[in-house]
Amino acid sequence: MFDRTAGPVGPDGAVGPAAAVKPMRRRRLPLVGLLVLPLLGGLVPVLAAPGTAQAASGCSGRPAKTVEFSTGELRVYKSRAHACAVTVAKKPGKRRTMSVTLQARGGRAVSDKGSYTKMAGPVTVNALNRCVRATGAIGKKSVSTGWILC
C-alpha cells in the first residue's frame, strides 16, 4: 500500500513516514546453543545408568526383590510410592498358565492371571510407607515373598 503523493499508507489508513510498517525481526539461536545441543544429545546415552532398563519387565522403579523357582522367577520393584510385580518364565515361548499377585498391607490384592508365553503382570499397588507381599506362579509351581519392603 502506497500513496503516490504522501508516501506509505499504514494499516490504519494513516499517511506518511510514521505509518511505515517495520519489518519483523527473526530471533536467532545463539551460536553457542547450536553447538551445545548436539553435544548434550550425544551424552544422554553415556549418562544413562547401565542395567536400569525396565522395558523387559514393564515395571518402573528399582528392583527390590527377586525370588527364583523351578519354572521362572517373581520380580518385585519399588518406586517411592508404588510397588510393582511380574512373574517371568525361564523358558518363554510355550503358552501356559501364569499369575502374579501383589498386596499392600491393609489393602486389596491385585492380580493378573492367564495363559501367557513370557510373563504375567505387571501389577502395581500404592505402597507408600507400607509393606507388600507378592505371589507368582507358572503352571503348578509357585512362590511367595511374605511381607517385604517394610
Side-chain angles (χ1 to χ4, degrees):
M1 295 206 251
F2 194 80
D3 186 8
R4 291 180 186 235
T5 60
V9 177
D12 58 346
V15 179
V21 178
K22 294 182 183 178
M24 290 184 60
R25 246 183 106 178
R26 290 180 138 185
R27 293 188 80 180
R28 294 184 185 173
L29 286 177
L31 184 59
V32 175
L34 291 175
L35 296 174
V36 172
L37 287 175
L39 290 175
L40 289 176
L43 288 177
V44 170
V46 174
L47 296 176
T52 58
Q54 302 301 324
S57 71
C59 287
S60 63
R62 62 176 172 77
K65 181 118 177 143
T66 301
V67 182
E68 293 186 15
F69 57 106
S70 63
T71 55
E73 61 186 26
L74 171 65
R75 298 177 187 169
V76 180
Y77 296 84
K78 177 76 168 115
S79 64
R80 183 179 181 278
H82 295 88
C84 180
V86 294
T87 301
V88 182
K90 274 190 181 174
K91 296 181 181 177
K94 186 174 136 184
R95 190 167 291 278
R96 56 196 154 182
T97 303
M98 294 186 198
S99 68
V100 61
T101 303
L102 185 63
Q103 179 182 10
R105 190 175 296 237
R108 291 181 181 234
V110 179
S111 64
D112 178 29
K113 182 178 181 178
S115 182
Y116 302 111
T117 57
K118 184 176 179 179
M119 78 177 192
V123 293
T124 305
V125 295
N126 291 328
L128 184 62
N129 299 325
R130 296 200 293 179
C131 304
V132 297
R133 66 177 169 190
T135 305
I138 299 176
K140 294 184 180 185
K141 305 290 184 179
S142 66
V143 67
S144 182
T145 62
W147 291 107
I148 59 172
L149 307 177
C150 296

